[in-house]
């Protein structure tokens, strides 16, 4: 889980200010729901 969180942090840092943040969160919830 630790490395996974690191990946998400890096991914979010990569797409900082992206317009489809809602879509990104939606994808996260669909992946883990």
């Amino acid at each position: 889980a630790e490395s996974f969180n690191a990946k998400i942090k890096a991914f979010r840092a990569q797409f900082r200010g992206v317009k489809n943040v809602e879509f990104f969160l939606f994808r996260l919830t669909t992946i883990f729901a």
Side-chain angles (χ1 to χ4, degrees):
E2 302 272 332
S3 57
F4 178 75
N5 283 337
K7 281 183 186 178
I8 292 208
K9 276 186 183 179
F11 190 76
R12 273 160 77 190
Q14 213 176 343
F15 289 90
R16 196 164 286 229
V18 141
K19 290 184 180 178
N20 58 345
V21 176
E22 294 98 6
F23 178 72
F24 169 70
L25 292 174
F26 172 74
R27 280 297 297 267
L28 275 186
T29 52
T30 52
I31 288 171
F32 299 111

